[in-house]
Amino acid sequence: LLRNPEFLQSFRVTVVYVFVVTVCSTVIGFLLALALSKRMKSSAIYRTIFFSPVVTATVAAGVVWQLLFDPFSGLFNIALRAIGIEGPNWLGDPKWSLIAVSIVGIWKRIGFAMIIFAAGIASLPISCYEAAKVDGATGIKLIRYMTIPLLKPVTAVVAITGVIDSIQVFDHIFVMTNGGPMGSTNVLSMYLYNQGFRVFHLGMASAVGWLLFVLILIVTAFQWQFTKGAEND
């Protein structure tokens, strides 16, 4: 594997995808949970709307996003042309294809992150906030010095499950780009599929499968240790 240029490119693509999707979905999910925690009357409706992508069939979603990213009739490029910008070939240009599939990955995970953060925020002790307000902390300071530190274990769970989920991504990339163009979206799961079921290099596919297992095992062990440390703190 380490001497295979195609595998090394696939590994780099996976690392970029995992980093972008995990970081963006975690941050956006936290901000949404924070915003919805202040809207008591309509928060349930908005939570349902933002969570709906999580339970949407990934293949069906991939087909819809493929239409949205169409360079000629897609909604994104139509909107860009309306303001005088010529949109890119999202799924046909190696510079943009990974960005396009990452957007879908972020969209798919935001709802999960939001729900977990919302549950964490709801369980935070009110007495700590009241004490902080007595000391003069308000607004951003409360979030920076109270909410974020108290949500450390929750953030660890959201981030690590995001990494594990992103490492295994396959469905929507298979539907939208099939690993192309020029291998720009050929993540490890896609590479494993091609090696095992298209060119029938079963030994190579098995090696990639074991590598994915080891990676997920390492990330899970890291989550366990990090969560235990956060709880002890």
Side-chain angles (χ1 to χ4, degrees):
L1 284 177
L2 298 179
R3 293 193 297 267
N4 189 318
E6 186 180 356
F7 165 77
L8 294 176
Q9 181 187 5
S10 177
F11 187 82
R12 286 192 294 268
V13 169
T14 304
V15 170
V16 173
Y17 177 89
V18 169
F19 178 79
V20 171
V21 171
T22 303
V23 172
C24 292
S25 63
T26 301
V27 172
I28 296 173
F30 170 72
L31 294 176
L32 285 175
L34 203 62
L36 294 178
S37 67
K38 302 179 184 301
R39 299 175 60 103
M40 300 303 295
K41 293 183 179 179
S42 57
S43 61
I45 298 174
Y46 284 108
R47 286 177 186 176
T48 302
I49 293 173
F50 288 120
F51 189 76
S52 59
V54 179
V55 296
T56 302
T58 307
V59 173
V63 172
V64 173
W65 278 95
Q66 189 177 35
L67 297 175
L68 292 174
F69 282 124
D70 187 276
F72 303 106
S73 59
L75 183 62
F76 291 112
N77 280 5
I78 290 176
L80 290 174
R81 281 195 292 270
I83 59 176
I85 300 174
E86 187 61 32
N89 185 357
W90 293 94
L91 302 178
D93 188 341
K95 296 179 181 179
W96 290 95
S97 54
L98 185 57
I99 296 175
V101 297
S102 296
I103 290 173
V104 180
I106 294 167
W107 169 81
K108 187 73 176 172
R109 278 204 56 83
I110 284 175
F112 175 81
M114 177 200 67
I115 290 296
I116 301 300
F117 276 123
I121 291 172
S123 65
L124 294 180
I126 299 176
S127 57
C128 294
Y129 284 89
E130 292 175 346
K133 289 178 180 178
V134 170
D135 291 336
T138 56
I140 299 299
K141 289 184 178 180
L142 282 175
I143 297 173
R144 169 65 180 84
Y145 296 105
M146 294 295 299
T147 305
I148 293 178
L150 289 172
L151 287 178
K152 187 178 178 181
V154 177
T155 305
V157 171
V158 172
I160 302 303
T161 54
V163 170
I164 293 173
D165 186 55
S166 300
I167 288 175
Q168 302 177 87
V169 64
F170 176 79
D171 302 22
H172 73 271
I173 291 180
F174 177 79
V175 171
M176 295 175 66
T177 64
N178 202 21
M182 299 175 61
S184 58
T185 60
N186 190 28
V187 294
L188 286 176
S189 297
M190 195 75 222
Y191 179 75
L192 184 155
Y193 172 81
N194 289 333
Q195 292 295 314
F197 299 100
R198 287 184 173 168
V199 297
F200 299 104
H201 292 167
L202 299 181
M204 185 72 76
S206 177
V208 176
W210 275 102
L211 176 65
L212 287 172
F213 168 75
V214 171
L215 288 174
I216 293 172
L217 182 64
I218 292 172
V219 171
T220 304
F222 175 79
Q223 176 195 5
W224 178 261
Q225 292 298 323
F226 187 87
T227 304
K228 285 176 62 178
E231 289 175 350
N232 293 333
D233 293 341

